Amino acid sequence: MQRRDFARAAMLFPLAGSGLLRAQPGWPQRPVKFILSQPAGSGPDILARYVADRLARGWGQPIVIENRPGGQNVIGAQAAARSPADGYTFYYATTAAMVTNVYTFKALPYDPVKDFAPVRLVGRSPFVIAAAANFAVRDLKEALALAKAQPGGIAIATEGPKTFSGMLADSVAGMAGVRLNHVPYTKAPDALQDVIGGRVQLVCLPDAALTAYLKAGQVRALAVSTAKRQAGMPDVPSLSETFAGFEYTGWNGLFAPAGTPPDVVARVNHDLEAVLQQPEVVQRLQSLGSQAEPRMSVAEFEAFMRSERERWVKLVKQLDIQPE
């Protein structure tokens, strides 16, 4: 390799020493695109942009985030499924798009199994049940007791009754024997503004969407959906402390349109793993409400997806969810 080629490689791959592979011949020669089903400023969007920035530094090519919100993830997922399988378009997806939509829709214009190739799990995102700062309850137990005394009188903001947050709210209400009034929102900031304004008493959203509001004291966390308390919220009880053995955690991961060259999928998996092992990345994701997944091969992600589908078959039956 001539001297100018070494110089060019050094400019394109400033993170080569951190474990990122050098580019395979011919890839990437142009910007890469991540499609999201959520709007700009949402929890998944913030996480995707941060991870994309770290990857782009090593690839020497920008990663463009394309937000395609709406239709409970259907619009973005369909757009990603129909994208060219040339290694330049990926789908940054959540649990809803790749697992739960199968059980809540009678028909989907995309097939999460056939239309996508799993690349890598990025992180697990717990959900949080929170209350307006001025709502007169001290904890989840008091909130549920109040809901029991006022059937349907306590409103909870979710992303919809058949979304991940909506099903969590229904699970909690069912286990507690209460009825909560669902108020669906398409954008987390809109839901939080209504909670802060006192028009809705409770909210159930991913930790990432609530982090800034919790830190500002505008809302107060009552419970986190993981089996154990989270390091970033040590004073917030886990739902398992109220309902023994209960755990309900979402995740976000990267997928490629089916038919994407396996070597590109393997390359992205490897480079993403290198990024997710960097201490500053782990800390940043935690501050954004996501627990980084340090190690996961393509085969392990495929196995994870199979186990997730099996888990949700059981949960959907428990909640008696009927597809629409």
Side-chain angles (χ1 to χ4, degrees), residues 191-220:
L192 287 160
Q193 287 306 313
D194 277 358
V195 173
I196 294 168
R199 291 176 287 278
V200 179
Q201 292 79 39
L202 302 175
V203 60
C204 178
L205 288 172
D207 181 13
L210 285 167
T211 300
Y213 298 87
L214 292 169
K215 289 181 178 179
Q218 294 173 299
V219 295
R220 186 161 33 88

Side-chain angles (χ1 to χ4, degrees), residues 35-39 66-83 91-112 115-116 159 162-163 324:
I35 294 177
L36 270 74
S37 299
Q38 295 77 29
E66 181 176 306
N67 300 96
R68 300 289 294 271
Q72 295 184 199
N73 296 282
V74 170
I75 294 174
Q78 184 178 15
R82 294 179 176 179
S83 296
Y91 183 38
Y92 190 94
T94 60
T95 317
M98 303 306 289
V99 180
T100 62
N101 273 1
V102 174
Y103 308 108
T104 57
F105 284 82
K106 286 185 177 179
L108 286 173
Y110 68 96
D111 187 321
D115 292 342
F116 292 96
E159 296 161 303
K162 292 192 175 181
T163 62
E324 294 180 358

Side-chain angles (χ1 to χ4, degrees), residues 1-203:
M1 184 182 291
Q2 297 180 3
R3 182 178 301 175
R4 64 174 180 274
D5 295 320
F6 278 113
R8 182 174 181 272
M11 288 189 293
L12 288 178
F13 300 98
L15 293 184
S18 68
L20 272 70
L21 290 175
R22 290 183 181 273
Q24 297 173 359
W27 190 92
Q29 291 185 326
R30 53 187 170 85
V32 175
K33 179 167 64 178
F34 283 6
I35 294 177
L36 270 74
S37 299
Q38 295 77 29
S42 63
D45 176 77
I46 295 169
L47 290 167
R49 289 178 187 275
Y50 178 73
V51 171
D53 176 70
R54 306 294 296 201
L55 281 172
R57 296 185 197 182
W59 291 346
Q61 291 285 352
I63 297 177
V64 178
I65 303 297
E66 181 176 306
N67 300 96
R68 300 289 294 271
Q72 295 184 199
N73 296 282
V74 170
I75 294 174
Q78 184 178 15
R82 294 179 176 179
S83 296
D86 57 4
Y88 285 91
T89 299
F90 294 86
Y91 183 38
Y92 190 94
T94 60
T95 317
M98 303 306 289
V99 180
T100 62
N101 273 1
V102 174
Y103 308 108
T104 57
F105 284 82
K106 286 185 177 179
L108 286 173
Y110 68 96
D111 187 321
V113 178
K114 295 179 180 179
D115 292 342
F116 292 96
V119 178
R120 183 139 181 347
L121 186 67
V122 175
R124 302 173 194 264
S125 299
F127 278 65
V128 174
I129 296 177
N134 59 357
F135 186 44
V137 297
R138 292 175 297 178
D139 51 35
L140 181 62
K141 183 178 180 179
E142 287 190 1
L144 294 174
L146 189 60
K148 194 166 189 176
Q150 303 175 26
I154 301 300
I156 183 165
T158 70
E159 296 161 303
K162 292 192 175 181
T163 62
F164 209 76
S165 62
M167 287 187 284
L168 173 56
D170 277 343
S171 296
V172 171
M175 290 185 293
V178 304
R179 183 163 62 87
L180 297 172
N181 178 24
H182 270 283
V183 182
Y185 292 83
T186 56
K187 296 181 180 179
D190 293 342
L192 287 160
Q193 287 306 313
D194 277 358
V195 173
I196 294 168
R199 291 176 287 278
V200 179
Q201 292 79 39
L202 302 175
V203 60

